[in-house]
Amino acid sequence: MILPNFKTSLIASMVTVLCACNSEIDDLADKNAGLADNHDHIGITSTGRLAISHADTANVSIFDTDNDTLLEMFNTANIVSGLYASPNNRFAVLIQRADNYVEFIDGGLYQEDHDDHLHDYEQLPSFSGFTLTNDKPTHFDISEQQAALFFDGNIDAGIPASFAILTDTSIEDGEILAAHSFTNAMHGTAQIRGESVITTYRSEDITSVLPNYVEQLHIHGDHFHQEQRFAVDCPALHGSAQNHQHIAFGCSDGVLVITEKGGVFNAAKVANLNSFAEGTRIGTIKASEHSELFLGIAQSKLFYTIDPASAEMTQLAWQQNTENTVLASALDRITGEFYVLGSDGFLSVLHAEDDWQVSARFKVLENPAGNYALAASAADDTLYISDANNQTVLSIDTHEQTTKTILNLDFIPNQITWLGIAAESKHEH
């Protein structure tokens, strides 16, 4: 069930990039030769690095947050449309949707398991020779130490959707762990659950690119077999997330919840509230291991908690002004804190452990305008905000509720992500 030309194009793209980037790789190797690889030291103390994509040019810059300096600016194949951190925060994943291309940058801070201890490494960032080429890469969904990268395919060209399973190790080794190709194109998503993937299906009679069902696939070596297609439909499916027992998908008529119990998956629908205005639907879903509840977002400002146990949806009051909209948001996967930058310039902190209630709210911007992006550090209580209008990056101490400008950029930032080694104190947060 693997798309044959997926691996072929993958290998071809790897060879092309490795040949094209030899000089750059050699240059970086020379630079790294002057750095200690810390074999004499098990641990490294660092606040991490920031990967920032340029809005108007095919570039990504990597900054050191210990001293707020530029480490390297990389020329990407195309303008980056999506920027993510790999499951263990070592690599920046550079999605180039319009050009059917994905590249990776090694942030240079990572950790290896040496049996009797965890060994930290600190090197200069470098371009990975690993690339992926398939139509319309879009969603990048992380589950523990694995990620599913979903390619939407192309309806007009008859190219089906597919997904690839990645880890930090597989990216380092220049390979995918497993892949799956569907029968048609769709703007879908995939959630990894152990040896299964809960993913999307679009019926042939649906003219929209959005799927309308969910199915369970089971891994068999480097590919997947279908286990079941759930009978409960999910029209105009968009948005997915999972916690320790449930997987949720946003539908035009509610939220489809898949429950796993004893390795068996069952589906049920949590219907939209009667108070929903016509056309309102939940299209973004957040989840955390710290809560049984899901957080659903509609119209960039309406928040709802979804309770799988009671099959109930409840509107959440997170704004002081109901006209306040979301400018940017970020979920801390470790602590379960969801950071929301509102159009009033306030940062709201919603905590999964408290049923997604607002635990803090404080001013971070005066008269916000333009585009913003957020990135949460896994090393400490810092949140980073990129401000495209002012070409700056702000550092927010979410514990002390203080804000400062740490970077003045000579380019317009688009997206931002944090790379580095997670601190143990964050896991114990």
Side-chain angles (χ1 to χ4, degrees):
M1 298 177 71
I2 299 179
L3 191 64
N5 67 358
F6 187 98
K7 284 190 172 180
T8 303
S9 62
L10 169 63
I11 294 170
S13 64
M14 285 175 60
V15 172
T16 301
V17 173
L18 281 171
C19 293
C21 296
N22 271 345
S23 60
E24 185 175 12
I25 293 170
D26 290 343
D27 289 343
L28 288 168
D30 290 340
K31 293 178 184 178
N32 282 329
L35 291 177
D37 67 1
N38 291 285
H39 271 296
D40 296 330
H41 306 279
I42 294 176
I44 291 172
T45 301
S46 174
T47 57
R49 290 166 180 178
L50 292 177
I52 305 176
S53 61
H54 298 213
D56 302 322
T57 60
N59 298 103
V60 171
S61 293
I62 308 294
F63 292 87
D64 187 337
T65 60
D66 291 325
N67 51 28
D68 302 330
T69 58
L70 175 66
L71 289 174
E72 192 76 48
M73 184 181 76
F74 296 94
N75 298 322
T76 58
N78 313 281
I79 292 179
V80 172
S81 59
L83 180 65
Y84 301 92
S86 59
N88 287 335
N89 303 299
R90 176 176 176 178
F91 294 91
V93 183
L94 318 179
I95 307 292
Q96 298 154 49
R97 175 180 164 84
D99 298 282
N100 308 324
Y101 206 65
V102 183
E103 294 177 290
F104 303 86
I105 292 175
D106 187 339
L109 288 173
Y110 60 99
Q111 195 173 69
E112 289 183 347
D113 188 348
H114 287 192
D115 295 329
D116 60 339
H117 67 274
L118 293 174
H119 192 108
D120 296 348
Y121 291 85
E122 182 177 13
Q123 299 175 346
L124 286 175
S126 59
F127 232 133
S128 168
F130 179 47
T131 64
L132 293 173
T133 56
N134 216 338
D135 279 62
K136 294 184 174 61
T138 308
H139 287 301
F140 188 76
D141 291 300
I142 294 175
S143 175
E144 296 182 347
Q145 296 185 0
Q146 293 183 313
L149 173 58
F150 201 97
F151 297 83
D152 289 351
N154 188 315
I155 288 180
D156 295 334
I159 298 172
S162 60
F163 65 78
I165 305 300
L166 300 164
T167 65
D168 283 54
T169 300
S170 78
I171 295 171
E172 180 184 15
D173 294 341
E175 61 184 19
I176 57 175
L177 294 183
H180 177 74
S181 178
F182 297 89
T183 57
N184 56 19
M186 72 183 99
H187 180 57
T189 180
Q191 295 286 338
I192 305 169
R193 298 286 295 193
E195 294 186 347
S196 292
V197 170
I198 310 302
T199 188
T200 50
Y201 171 81
R202 184 177 72 85
S203 301
E204 293 289 349
D205 59 340
I206 299 296
T207 57
S208 167
V209 72
L210 297 179
N212 59 327
Y213 282 95
V214 171
E215 59 185 15
Q216 176 197 358
L217 307 179
H218 190 271
I219 193 167
H220 287 262
D222 61 355
H223 63 283
F224 294 86
H225 292 170
Q226 186 199 65
E227 290 288 315
Q228 63 174 316
R229 183 171 300 145
F230 299 99
V232 182
D233 69 345
C234 184
L237 187 157
H238 190 274
S240 68
Q242 63 173 301
N243 55 34
H244 73 279
Q245 191 174 357
H246 308 282
I247 311 100
F249 296 85
C251 319
S252 61
D253 59 355
V255 173
L256 179 67
V257 177
I258 308 298
T259 300
E260 180 184 10
K261 189 173 182 180
V264 178
F265 296 89
N266 292 291
K269 180 75 67 68
V270 179
N272 287 338
L273 297 175
N274 293 330
S275 59
F276 272 30
E278 184 177 355
T280 299
R281 53 83 50 84
I282 289 175
T284 300
I285 301 177
K286 301 296 177 182
S288 169
E289 296 300 312
H290 296 276
S291 178
E292 294 280 351
L293 306 183
F294 290 93
L295 177 67
I297 303 174
Q299 296 182 330
S300 298
K301 66 177 182 178
L302 302 175
F303 287 14
Y304 301 87
T305 56
I306 297 101
D307 187 347
S310 62
E312 292 181 345
M313 187 182 297
T314 305
Q315 187 165 359
L316 183 67
W318 70 276
Q319 317 135 297
Q320 288 188 344
N321 180 348
T322 56
E323 295 304 312
N324 191 27
T325 59
V326 177
L327 295 180
S329 64
L331 176 66
D332 188 322
R333 292 193 296 119
I334 298 174
T335 66
E337 290 167 317
F338 184 50
Y339 300 103
V340 181
L341 178 62
S343 55
D344 58 358
F346 278 80
L347 182 73
S348 297
V349 184
L350 288 66
H351 207 301
E353 199 169 35
D354 297 326
D355 294 339
W356 302 102
Q357 297 296 317
V358 176
S359 60
R361 187 175 187 273
F362 54 96
K363 191 84 168 182
V364 295
L365 296 174
E366 297 292 339
N367 304 315
N371 297 320
Y372 300 88
L374 308 184
S377 168
D380 53 27
D381 294 323
T382 303
L383 179 74
Y384 297 96
I385 302 179
S386 65
D387 179 345
N389 192 53
N390 294 304
Q391 295 184 204
T392 57
V393 174
L394 308 178
S395 171
I396 315 296
D397 186 321
T398 59
H399 184 262
E400 299 296 329
Q401 299 185 3
T402 56
T403 305
K404 65 178 180 179
T405 300
I406 60 169
L407 296 174
N408 289 289
L409 306 173
D410 60 359
F411 62 89
I412 300 173
N414 182 22
Q415 298 189 40
I416 184 171
T417 195
W418 182 90
L419 306 174
I421 301 169
E424 289 299 319
S425 58
K426 283 281 283 191
H427 288 279
E428 298 167 358
H429 188 87

